[in-house]
Amino acid sequence: MTDSAAIAAGTGAEPGAGAGTNAGLGDGTNAVRAGLPEPVKHEPTLPGPVFAAHFHLPGDPTGPYTYGRDDNPTWTLLEQAIGELEAPVGSAGAATGEGSGGEAGAGVETLVFASGMAAISAVLFSQLRAGDAVVLPDDGYQALPLVKEQLTAYGIEVRTAPTGNDAQLDVLDGAKLLWIETPSNPGLDVCDVRRLADAAHARGALVAVDNTLATPLGQRPLELGADFSVASGTKMLTGHGDILLGYVACRDAELSASVRGWRKIVGAIPGPMEAWLAHRSLATLQLRAERQNANALAVAEALRGRGEVTGLRYPGLPDDPSHKIASQQMRRFGCVVSFTLPSRERADRFLYALRLVDDATSFGGVRSTAERRGRWGGDAVAEGFIRLSAGSEDPADLVADVLRALDESAG
Ligand SMILES: Cc1ncc(COP(=O)(O)O)c(C=O)c1O
């Protein structure tokens, strides 16, 4: 049995080895092979989930597998897979869609969590201390204001600035950590990660990027200079709307150890079944991303010609305010489109009239979803603001459904 097969079987070999991805191969190839152990005769390609609260452990309690809150062989393979996709590969390419994957992870250590929020909290709360200052976006994921409240209660100064126009630069002085979310959810503004990371590092600050919307096939924050790439794997990474997951990818062993320590004490760990389902889903990430991103562009182009639509945003549209910087640092523009209808009533009628798009929150799944974002009360958006996540339906069907629902909601 090879080391990595031993990991999969939970027999105590060192984690980290594996068939790995190759920087010379395309995203689809790397996605289907990410994190797979070396082939072993009579063993499955992707070993099944290892359900274990504890592992046989005679003698001194040395790893890798001791207790199920600390580590699990199914996580190890998934962490290897995500690390391979997040790993830097030379300089960032343009949005051509191909060429991802660091050479077998290239020193990236990844930690999986029970949810995106568990991953986000792990970075913020493991790195910041009372008296520190942190910069958050003021237009990011709607749970960030709740995080801000908690950080403030712990004596951490929280500064906020918008994502667009790299406005976070103006409040960086003296900060310990810069938190970036690009493209931002739900407004889809994009900032220049490399510029912000350079400025933050010059001031001694760490940089974390929420890579949820783009996925590692859309952008690689570590390559752009970030210290942490953090994401909710609940969205496009896993893509079926059936699991919650989060991860933190990082190149610095000390930083990674402190995030790992936080995971151990908070216990925000994914179940082995979720981890295995996530790994299984990674194999189709490139296929899903290609279809969903193309569908998002098709929907955005169709909405462009509609008089009742204002504030249309999609970073892949050549005339979108984010397009220039997005094309420099992203290889795919994501599956989310946002726009505003004239009123809350019009938006509700539109959502009700859709047949192929579910009225549901979240994004990135193979089934299209849309929602009136103002219903949550957390985002600074108009009452008629819609966030639409394009799924994997046939493009003509999806566009026709959206246009028909717009027509029907007019009356
Ligand atoms: C950009 C972004 N980051 C983080 C999260 C949180 O992820 P989770 O719901 O998996 O905790 C979300 C959820 O919508 C999100 O959109």
Side-chain angles (χ1 to χ4, degrees):
M1 190 182 282
T2 63
D3 278 0
S4 37
I7 293 162
T11 54
E14 284 301 315
T21 60
N22 191 307
L25 300 175
D27 285 346
T29 311
N30 282 331
V32 298
R33 300 217 60 83
L36 296 183
E38 295 292 345
V40 176
K41 193 172 180 183
H42 304 143
E43 294 288 331
T45 308
L46 175 63
V50 176
F51 296 102
H54 58 261
F55 300 86
H56 288 295
L57 192 64
D60 290 337
T62 51
Y65 303 111
T66 56
Y67 185 59
R69 179 161 31 78
D70 296 341
D71 230 326
N72 173 290
T74 312
W75 304 350
T76 303
L77 295 178
L78 175 62
E79 288 169 343
Q80 173 75 22
I82 295 171
E84 287 168 14
L85 299 178
E86 285 279 359
V89 182
S91 60
T96 55
E98 286 308 318
S100 86
E103 198 76 52
V108 173
E109 193 171 336
T110 303
L111 294 158
V112 286
F113 286 84
S115 67
M117 284 314 299
I120 289 172
S121 299
V123 171
L124 291 171
F125 291 99
S126 67
Q127 302 308 313
L128 296 168
R129 303 283 178 273
D132 287 342
V134 59
V135 176
L136 301 182
D138 67 10
D139 51 356
Y141 176 52
Q142 62 170 4
L144 286 183
L146 304 176
V147 175
K148 174 181 172 182
E149 240 174 69
Q150 196 60 53
L151 290 165
T152 308
Y154 288 159
I156 295 156
E157 182 198 343
V158 180
R159 305 174 192 161
T160 60
T163 300
N165 300 317
D166 301 341
Q168 288 178 308
L169 277 177
D170 300 337
V171 289
L172 265 184
D173 277 348
K176 170 87 188 295
L177 193 148
L178 166 64
W179 190 271
I180 293 170
E181 185 181 307
T182 181
S184 61
N185 167 29
L188 303 180
D189 266 326
V190 172
C191 59
D192 184 335
V193 175
R194 189 175 292 287
R195 180 175 179 224
L196 282 163
D198 286 350
H201 288 153
R203 292 164 172 81
L206 293 168
V207 178
V209 175
D210 184 324
N211 204 27
T212 302
L213 203 144
T215 84
L217 295 198
Q219 73 190 358
R220 290 187 290 266
L222 301 180
E223 187 171 290
L224 297 167
D227 300 289
F228 301 99
S229 180
V230 186
S232 166
T234 312
K235 318 293 174 190
M236 193 192 262
L237 189 85
T238 60
H240 293 73
D242 50 12
I243 55 174
L244 281 102
L245 191 94
Y247 70 84
V248 177
C250 165
R251 277 198 287 179
D252 181 288
E254 233 174 90
L255 292 178
S256 183
S258 59
V259 176
R260 183 185 286 278
W262 180 265
R263 182 176 69 175
K264 180 183 171 80
I265 60 173
V266 173
I269 54 167
M273 191 67 195
E274 280 77 6
W276 181 80
L277 277 170
H279 199 160
R280 187 181 193 270
S281 302
L282 275 188
T284 55
L285 177 58
Q286 188 264 2
L287 287 172
R288 289 183 281 108
E290 286 298 297
R291 172 64 83 103
Q292 292 180 231
N293 296 359
N295 277 358
L297 181 62
V299 167
E301 280 169 345
L303 290 174
R304 214 191 211 158
R306 299 290 301 216
E308 67 273 62
V309 169
T310 55
L312 175 65
R313 294 300 302 268
Y314 181 64
L317 280 177
D319 54 352
D320 187 274
S322 292
H323 185 70
K324 186 163 175 263
I325 183 63
S327 355
Q328 283 165 26
Q329 69 189 18
M330 298 181 76
R331 295 176 308 117
R332 295 181 173 83
F333 300 116
C335 65
V336 180
V337 178
S338 63
F339 57 98
T340 302
L341 292 176
S343 66
R344 172 185 180 147
E345 292 70 28
R346 177 74 193 269
D348 281 338
R349 287 202 301 274
F350 166 70
L351 292 169
Y352 185 74
L354 289 164
R355 291 186 197 133
L356 299 179
V357 182
D358 295 333
D359 186 348
T361 195
S362 203
F363 56 85
V366 287
R367 298 172 195 90
S368 290
T369 55
E371 71 170 334
R372 198 177 64 74
R373 201 57 194 165
R375 66 180 172 174
W376 296 97
D379 300 312
V381 293
E383 286 289 356
F385 180 97
I386 301 279
R387 185 185 69 190
L388 186 148
S389 170
S392 297
E393 298 84 3
D394 287 296
D397 294 339
L398 181 60
V399 168
D401 195 50
V402 168
L403 294 180
R404 184 196 45 73
L406 272 181
D407 289 339
E408 277 182 35
S409 62

